[in-house]
Amino acid sequence: MKAPVFPKVTTHVLQEMKLKGDKIAMLTAYDYSMAKIIDDAGIDIILVGDSASNVMAGHKTTLPITLNEMIYHASSVMRAVERALVVVDLPFGTYQGNSREALSSAIRIMKESNANAVKLEGGREIKDSIDRILSAGIPVMGHLGLTPQSINKFGTYVVRAKDEEEAQRLREDASLLEEIGCFSIVLEKIPARLATEVTNNIKIPTIGIGAGSGVDGQVLVIHDMLGINHDFSPRFLRRYHNLFEEMKGAVGMYIKDVKSLDFPNEREQY
Ligand code: KIV
């Protein structure tokens, strides 16, 4: 096996990055080849997000993805990664029921995929589940603000915690997640000022998506930032490529070459 160029990222390394003011870069991946590319590029955290439900399986929400499917994606990613810390989402319906179910879902992910940590959406309402998972020695990343698994309660993907009541609940939930031992918290689609305030008030790193620049790190869905997914354009998204058009162009050239008998040529056969 090739020796890693950089030291392996651990939850301890992330804590030190926050202390030093080094920003944390996180992206999603769901398969071996993509994980290999982004790990090689030096990403700090890879999230095997339940956004796989949208970008890999074509569902409208993150709700349908199953624990078995998440384990399949996570194991594929783990076979590629040498340096990044790999966090896996517990999918909808596998931890909200009770803390025993939550623990057994988290244990399946850790045992069957070999991942480094799990992520759960929510605050005080899932405290018992987080406590139980943590007590088994499994690192937990929290997720507050817009929590897509609750889309049927919110009814929309608009910015969360704009009013003072919801903002105060989020502040308290962030402190609670820190207190019970989460190693980091994702803050999704909340006002930048609130995200900065929360980040300054807790000692564990915050990772923002649509939460401004005052957080300790950023996360994007890889299909969105590479422009593979071209029908999703929220204001917070920066697209670094237009791979949908580039890949479509390459496929178009291949089709043309096959049909015109240009491919394969003499050097491309035995
Ligand atoms: O599933 C996911 O990709 C996520 C990120 C958007 C944070 O939870």
Side-chain angles (χ1 to χ4, degrees):
M1 200 172 75
K2 184 168 74 117
V5 189
F6 316 102
K8 174 85 186 148
V9 180
T10 60
T11 56
H12 181 70
V13 168
L14 298 173
Q15 186 62 63
E16 283 184 345
M17 287 174 81
K18 172 156 182 146
L19 282 174
K20 285 195 251 162
D22 292 346
K23 294 288 181 186
I24 299 165
M26 167 163 152
L27 279 172
T28 64
Y30 319 97
D31 65 50
Y32 175 86
S33 304
M34 194 68 91
K36 197 147 193 80
I37 296 168
I38 65 178
D39 188 52
D40 224 52
I43 201 76
D44 299 309
I45 308 178
I46 294 181
L47 172 67
V48 183
D50 58 359
S51 47
S53 178
N54 308 106
V55 297
M56 299 300 286
H59 293 296
K60 287 210 165 9
T61 71
T62 57
L63 274 61
I65 200 159
T66 65
L67 189 56
N68 282 344
E69 286 164 342
M70 289 303 295
I71 291 169
Y72 167 79
H73 288 299
S75 335
S76 310
V77 165
M78 285 308 293
R79 285 192 280 275
V81 172
E82 293 181 13
R83 175 184 178 268
L85 181 96
V86 178
V87 181
V88 183
D89 266 335
L90 281 193
F92 176 68
T94 66
Y95 61 96
Q96 294 93 342
N98 61 64
S99 63
R100 288 172 74 107
E101 185 192 18
L103 177 60
S104 96
S105 306
I107 286 180
R108 278 203 62 202
I109 287 186
M110 301 301 281
K111 252 182 167 358
E112 295 176 40
S113 76
N114 204 24
N116 307 125
V118 295
K119 175 162 83 60
L120 282 73
E121 294 183 6
R124 63 199 74 178
E125 68 284 5
I126 54 159
K127 176 185 176 295
D128 291 350
S129 293
I130 297 180
D131 268 338
R132 199 146 189 166
I133 295 171
L134 286 167
S135 68
I138 301 172
V140 174
M141 176 179 263
H143 185 154
L144 298 173
L146 176 66
T147 46
Q149 291 180 11
S150 305
I151 182 60
N152 290 311
K153 178 174 132 198
F154 296 147
T156 145
Y157 289 104
V158 295
V159 180
R160 304 303 315 175
K162 277 169 89 175
D163 66 71
E164 185 45 34
E165 197 184 328
E166 197 178 331
Q168 183 53 23
R169 189 179 164 91
L170 190 141
R171 288 184 195 100
E172 289 168 11
D173 279 344
S175 297
L176 177 75
L177 294 183
E178 173 185 34
E179 199 183 297
I180 63 179
C182 289
F183 73 89
S184 171
I185 305 175
V186 166
L187 296 176
E188 180 163 354
K189 229 170 166 188
I190 61 170
R193 193 185 296 185
L194 175 63
T196 305
E197 184 197 325
V198 168
T199 300
N200 293 338
N201 281 340
I202 59 176
K203 294 196 173 62
I204 55 173
T206 57
I207 311 288
I209 173 162
S213 60
V215 287
D216 299 306
Q218 299 291 333
V219 57
L220 285 176
V221 170
I222 187 88
H223 289 65
D224 299 338
M225 65 83 79
L226 291 179
I228 297 173
N229 200 9
H230 72 156
D231 49 9
F232 179 67
S233 300
R235 175 162 153 189
F236 67 75
L237 175 62
R238 184 176 295 181
R239 259 195 234 296
Y240 288 82
H241 246 293
N242 186 355
L243 280 194
F244 184 96
E245 289 307 330
E246 287 181 37
M247 290 171 79
K248 192 170 141 187
V251 172
M253 275 159 37
Y254 168 74
I255 294 170
K256 187 170 132 296
D257 289 352
V258 169
K259 299 210 182 259
S260 65
L261 304 184
D262 181 74
F263 176 79
N265 64 26
E266 274 179 21
R267 279 172 286 111
E268 291 161 332
Q269 59 193 346
Y270 300 98

